[in-house]
Amino acid sequence: MSKKILLVEDNEMNRDMLSRRLVRNGFEVLMAVNGQEGVDMTRSERPDIVLMDMSLPVMDGWEATRTLKADEMTKTIPVIALTAHAMESDRAQAMQAGCDDFDTKPIELPRLLGKINALLPK
């Protein structure tokens, strides 16, 4: 049974490109286009992992992650922050929000797959 990834990304081109690459690597991919939809889908779909863009409309990725980590139903689901901001302070801010890991755009798929596989439940 394939692992389920929720990709929360507002940029259609990024969403399309990354989701196709994840599907080719054997994952089931669900998609949300803003932070609130990401929170709602995490609660209803219970993905194995969430890939969270941090600059999102409606609710940003930091607030969406804080919401997920404060909820008993979703707090154990790993969240990987995805952002174009590559400074150490950006990583620290994502980790403070509750993210389990951090990756920068443009995505290097082998690196991201390594992080995904390290966090997926065995």
Side-chain angles (χ1 to χ4, degrees):
M1 190 163 138
S2 62
K3 297 290 187 179
K4 195 182 326 182
I5 294 176
L6 174 61
L7 175 59
V8 187
E9 168 66 68
D10 64 328
N11 181 292
E12 184 177 354
M13 187 166 49
N14 290 346
R15 200 173 51 241
D16 181 57
M17 182 180 62
L18 184 54
S19 67
R20 283 189 284 119
R21 296 166 80 192
L22 292 169
V23 167
R24 278 198 299 268
N25 278 275
F27 294 101
E28 178 184 353
V29 180
L30 307 170
M31 290 181 272
V33 299
N34 64 60
Q36 183 61 60
E37 190 174 290
V39 168
D40 294 342
M41 287 185 72
T42 301
R43 288 176 174 151
S44 65
E45 299 294 329
R46 309 290 295 238
D48 295 294
I49 195 163
V50 176
L51 301 179
M52 181 76 74
D53 183 20
M54 302 315 280
S55 299
L56 292 166
V58 182
M59 176 190 288
D60 66 36
W62 296 277
E63 186 60 32
T65 301
R66 280 191 287 272
T67 301
L68 292 174
K69 294 301 182 176
D71 185 330
E72 285 296 318
M73 280 181 38
T74 59
K75 70 180 184 183
T76 60
I77 297 173
V79 176
I80 297 177
L82 299 179
T83 180
H85 305 287
M87 302 293 289
E88 184 55 35
S89 60
D90 298 311
R91 177 184 179 81
Q93 185 181 10
M95 302 309 268
Q96 253 181 348
C99 292
D100 298 277
D101 208 336
F102 175 90
D103 208 272
T104 56
K105 298 176 184 178
I107 299 296
E108 288 182 29
L109 192 61
R111 183 182 64 208
L112 180 59
L113 288 174
K115 292 179 179 185
I116 290 170
N117 287 320
L119 289 170
L120 280 175
K122 306 296 181 224

